[in-house]
Amino acid sequence: MKSDAITRPIAELAEDVRSGKLKAAELVQACLDRIEATKQYHAVLEINPQALERAHEIDRRAGQGRSDGRLLGVPFIAKDNFLTRHTHTTAASAMLKPFRAPYQATVIDKLEAEGAVMIAKANLDAFAHGSSTENSDFGPTKNPWDKTKVPGGSSGGSAAAVALAQCSFALGTDTGSSIRLPASFCGVVGVKPTYGLVSRYGVIAMGSSFDVVGPLARTVEDAALVLDVMAGRDPLDATTIERDAQTYELTDQKSNVKGLKVGVIKEYLAEGVDPEVKAAIEAQIDSLAAAGAKVSEVSLPSVGLGLACYYILVPAEISSNLARYDGVKYGHSAPAAKTLAETYDLSRNQGFGAEAKRRILTGTYVLSSGYYDAYYKQAQKVRTLLTREFKAAFERFDVLVAPNAPTVAFPLGQKAQDPLAMYLCDVMQVAVNLAGACALSLPIGLAHGLPVGLQLIGPQRGERTLLKAGAAVEGMVGRLEVAV
Ligand code: GLN
């Protein structure tokens, strides 16, 4: 089977598997071959050894007319911070290298219940801390458009896997940027849902008041279908919210932007944006207006504080979430430790990389007595302020637009030793997570020969309008395909 079968719309693939026109086993095998043929990009950490068998079972049942499901036989790859039954779950950290989860994430169960086949686990920045996938303890992923560039992070493996046609879609998590940034650097679609819309049960926690699960896919239509399967209340995750009664799927094929109220976030186009990236974004904004959208500028005066606020609150939550890795319960345990205190010390010292340690230290610092009021509490106030500013903007606009990042994918190694430069990549995305809003990134063209993503932002629970707007833009620009 040629790899272009993999890149067909997900709904069509599922329909063909159901009717027997296409064998799930062939589709899965084509993806596994593709993973092997493009392994130099290091998008994948581990193959699911059960994937082919599951695909054969789907085919057997389809032959008897007993297979159904909206994702029947559709191969996907999960970021390696989702707990999965038949593989390790490492979060790309030495701390969890030997770890096998005793249960599986709700979203994986939901996707499998619709017939999807999880074929592999994707690389990421260890514990999802990062913007380039270079913080993986197992080596970086490379950008499918240019092997010398980063794929973005932290879901860099997931985004690269989709761009490389190793799967039909992939799962990522987004705490501050981690779905949208790699989607934009790799030229694929990434959706960051409203906080709470998708269950995080069985997903390794980073910043619990920020983390969301979302799809990376080739088209907005594919991403919408996957989101529809995943969204909704989960009794095992008390932070989940009610989903919309209506589908998130794009049933109306001809989405257009006529009358759509679009706010261009002024602060994100003001300065520091690469001129070619800026030109691509502005050209797209002009075409939106030409196609009938009501476009005007909007100011969110506090977004400039977003990054500082994020890098106080998220490390605070990280320092609490990573406390469970103590060398006793699971994960790495230092063999040389002689006392309990040594077990804690050595296991953490050996298991955590530099970035996790940096965040644990920052987090405990901003939470400590004497500094709590000066940092943590102030940052919480800024978070409230930002949430209000977004809310006010959405009283006037259906969606907001911005770049995803000031640049396109940068060279591997360029920022790896400079944490502040790395943090700055997230400057246009973290405010969305602070406000719990929804957003997506979709490719709109190239700058310096590399993909540029447009960021569309919607209010909390605004996914249906957001996805429609995304599909309309996609219809205007077409798809970006990388030749590998
Ligand atoms: N790059 C951001 C960080 O390092 C976001 C990570 C994420 O969304 N998981 O915190």
Side-chain angles (χ1 to χ4, degrees):
M1 183 185 292
K2 293 222 308 277
S3 63
D4 39 339
I6 306 165
T7 61
R8 286 172 50 207
I10 290 176
E12 272 181 42
L13 291 176
E15 182 48 44
D16 283 359
V17 171
R18 186 175 19 242
S19 70
K21 218 157 117 193
L22 178 67
K23 294 279 178 247
E26 282 174 23
L27 192 55
V28 166
Q29 188 60 55
C31 289
L32 296 175
D33 292 348
R34 190 78 192 136
I35 292 173
E36 179 58 29
T38 54
K39 66 173 183 234
Q40 68 274 28
Y41 292 91
H42 198 230
V44 156
L45 292 178
E46 188 178 353
I47 303 286
N48 176 5
Q50 303 282 318
L52 258 185
E53 200 179 306
R54 184 170 146 71
H56 280 301
E57 177 62 21
I58 287 169
D59 290 333
R60 258 195 303 278
R61 293 168 67 97
Q64 302 159 351
R66 293 194 299 130
S67 259
D68 210 353
R70 292 193 288 160
L71 303 174
L72 198 64
V74 174
F76 74 99
I77 294 180
K79 188 176 181 179
D80 204 20
N81 56 353
F82 289 76
L83 307 194
T84 47
R85 218 164 265 133
H86 304 294
T87 64
H88 292 86
T89 297
T90 66
S93 168
M95 184 57 103
L96 285 173
K97 193 163 179 230
F99 180 63
R100 281 183 175 273
Y103 62 95
Q104 181 156 279
T106 295
V107 286
I108 308 280
D109 284 345
K110 281 188 161 181
L111 294 166
E112 287 186 347
E114 288 291 345
V117 183
M118 199 211 64
I119 56 167
K121 301 297 285 291
N123 199 13
L124 64 149
D125 287 296
F127 288 108
H129 306 165
S131 307
S132 68
T133 317
E134 291 169 288
N135 288 336
S136 167
D137 284 348
F138 309 133
T141 296
K142 294 170 184 159
N143 191 306
W145 292 78
D146 177 349
K147 271 196 215 80
T148 68
K149 304 286 193 305
V150 302
S154 65
S155 315
S158 304
V162 172
L164 291 166
Q166 295 181 345
C167 53
S168 291
F169 70 92
L171 295 185
T173 54
D174 192 312
T175 304
S177 62
S178 279
I179 290 175
R180 290 158 289 157
L181 190 68
S184 81
F185 281 9
C186 292
V188 301
V189 173
V191 178
K192 176 244 175 269
T194 300
Y195 180 75
L197 186 66
V198 179
S199 168
R200 299 170 302 168
Y201 180 72
V203 180
I204 294 177
M206 178 177 164
S208 301
S209 74
F210 295 77
D211 299 343
V212 296
V213 164
L216 293 110
R218 221 157 269 114
T219 60
V220 179
E221 183 191 342
D222 281 355
L225 169 56
V226 175
L227 179 68
D228 194 55
V229 170
M230 297 196 297
R233 284 266 305 133
D234 175 8
L236 296 172
D237 176 355
T239 62
T240 48
I241 56 172
E242 279 313 322
R243 54 162 294 145
D244 282 16
Q246 281 168 289
T247 181
Y248 296 102
E249 265 189 89
L250 296 164
T251 38
D252 172 14
Q253 282 308 311
K254 279 184 251 43
S255 306
N256 67 58
V257 294
K258 262 198 200 85
L260 188 78
K261 289 177 265 165
V262 178
V264 180
I265 304 177
K266 183 174 130 196
E267 288 77 7
Y268 288 149
L269 282 168
E271 58 187 70
V273 187
D274 175 280
E276 275 199 37
V277 171
K278 191 171 172 177
I281 300 284
E282 284 176 342
Q284 190 54 49
I285 292 169
D286 290 345
S287 345
L288 278 169
K294 293 190 188 130
V295 181
S296 54
E297 223 175 49
V298 58
S299 170
L300 301 175
S302 305
V303 285
L305 301 172
L307 197 69
C309 174
Y310 173 89
Y311 276 102
I312 291 171
L313 297 178
V314 168
E317 296 188 16
I318 287 173
S319 71
S320 160
N321 275 325
L322 293 190
R324 71 193 69 178
Y325 304 103
D326 56 7
V328 178
K329 294 191 278 291
Y330 45 76
H332 175 70
S333 187
K338 291 195 187 62
T339 62
L340 183 63
E342 259 182 40
T343 302
Y344 292 162
D345 273 5
L346 289 177
S347 304
R348 287 173 171 156
N349 195 19
Q350 294 163 1
F352 287 133
E355 187 58 31
K357 287 176 186 161
R358 189 175 295 124
R359 293 185 189 214
I360 292 168
L361 288 175
T362 314
T364 44
Y365 180 81
V366 299
L367 287 172
S368 57
S369 88
Y371 297 106
Y372 179 93
D373 284 338
Y375 297 107
Y376 186 78
K377 207 165 149 194
Q378 289 298 106
Q380 288 290 23
K381 288 185 188 163
V382 173
R383 185 175 196 176
T384 305
L385 202 65
L386 265 167
T387 309
R388 286 194 193 134
E389 286 177 13
F390 271 101
K391 222 170 151 202
F394 286 120
E395 276 162 19
R396 293 170 49 212
F397 298 100
D398 300 315
V399 291
L400 306 180
V401 296
N404 277 287
T407 65
V408 289
F410 48 87
L412 282 153
Q414 189 190 64
K415 301 178 201 272
Q417 303 310 322
D418 185 350
L420 284 182
M422 194 67 89
Y423 298 169
L424 275 169
C425 304
D426 306 331
V427 68
M428 292 159 180
Q429 299 184 314
V430 296
V432 171
N433 302 65
L434 285 159
C438 62
L440 63 78
S441 167
L442 90 162
I444 54 155
L446 300 176
H448 309 286
L450 292 164
V452 178
L454 180 74
Q455 186 178 203
L456 290 177
I457 305 168
Q460 291 185 4
R461 304 196 52 181
E463 274 79 2
R464 298 185 65 246
T465 306
L466 180 78
L467 290 162
K468 269 190 213 150
V473 175
E474 191 175 64
M476 291 159 67
V477 292
R479 270 159 63 174
L480 283 188
E481 301 276 359
V482 58
V484 177

